């Protein structure tokens, strides 16, 4: 069973999750945008996705690129949660997880840290 939540409320939760990230990290986020979409077209169960060049992979010739994208998939998150409190927690986890990819932290390390 899916949790019911308006698009606006879900976007507020994503914004709130971004506010939880320490300013020292968000200040270092470079050329990245955070978006909310309903579902990933090829993987409907995916909660979030980072697309871009991680900061650890950028070289001196990086420039003039479109922004990296962090996408949080609203319907997938709502579908996996049992109540609105769980949605709050899952949005925060997913946002932090995708931001970590922007900083070059891989899946295995994220799972070790409890953010998998």
């Amino acid at each position: 069973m899916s949790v019911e939540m308006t698009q606006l409320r879900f976007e507020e939760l994503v914004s709130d999750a971004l506010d939880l990230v320490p300013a020292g990290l968000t200040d270092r986020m470079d050329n990245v945008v955070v978006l909310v979409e309903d579902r990933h077209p090829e993987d409907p169960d995916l909660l979030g996705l980072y697309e871009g060049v991680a900061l650890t992979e950028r070289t001196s010739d990086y420039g003039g690129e479109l922004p990296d994208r962090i996408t949080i998939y609203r319907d997938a998150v709502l579908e996996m949660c049992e109540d609105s409190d769980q949605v709050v927690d899952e949005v925060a986890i997913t946002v932090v997880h995708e931001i970590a990819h922007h900083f070059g932290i891989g899946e295995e390390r994220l799972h070790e840290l409890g953010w998998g």
Side-chain angles (χ1 to χ4, degrees), residues 42-108:
E42 296 169 13
D43 187 353
D45 295 328
L46 193 63
L47 304 180
L49 180 65
Y50 169 74
E51 299 172 283
V53 179
L55 295 178
T56 55
E57 302 295 322
R58 294 180 184 180
T59 62
S60 60
D61 63 342
Y62 178 86
E65 303 290 329
L66 292 174
D68 292 3
R69 293 170 47 115
I70 292 174
T71 307
I72 309 300
Y73 296 106
R74 177 181 175 270
D75 290 348
V77 171
L78 294 177
E79 189 173 272
M80 72 156 305
C81 294
E82 295 180 14
D83 58 37
S84 58
D85 289 337
Q86 190 177 8
V87 173
V88 171
D89 293 341
E90 192 56 50
V91 166
I93 290 167
T94 304
V95 167
V96 168
H97 182 103
E98 301 310 329
I99 288 172
H101 288 317
H102 177 67
F103 284 99
I105 301 171
E107 289 293 330
E108 185 176 314

Side-chain angles (χ1 to χ4, degrees), residues 3-15 34-39 71-75 78 87 91:
V3 174
E4 302 256 340
M5 184 175 290
T6 66
Q7 179 79 19
L8 179 60
R9 176 65 181 136
F10 191 88
E11 289 173 358
E12 288 171 351
L13 293 180
V14 171
S15 179
V34 179
L35 306 166
V36 173
E37 293 182 7
D38 290 336
R39 285 199 190 271
T71 307
I72 309 300
Y73 296 106
R74 177 181 175 270
D75 290 348
L78 294 177
V87 173
V91 166

Side-chain angles (χ1 to χ4, degrees), residues 20-31:
L20 295 174
V21 177
L25 289 178
T26 56
D27 291 347
R28 289 184 173 91
M29 289 175 65
D30 183 45
N31 199 30

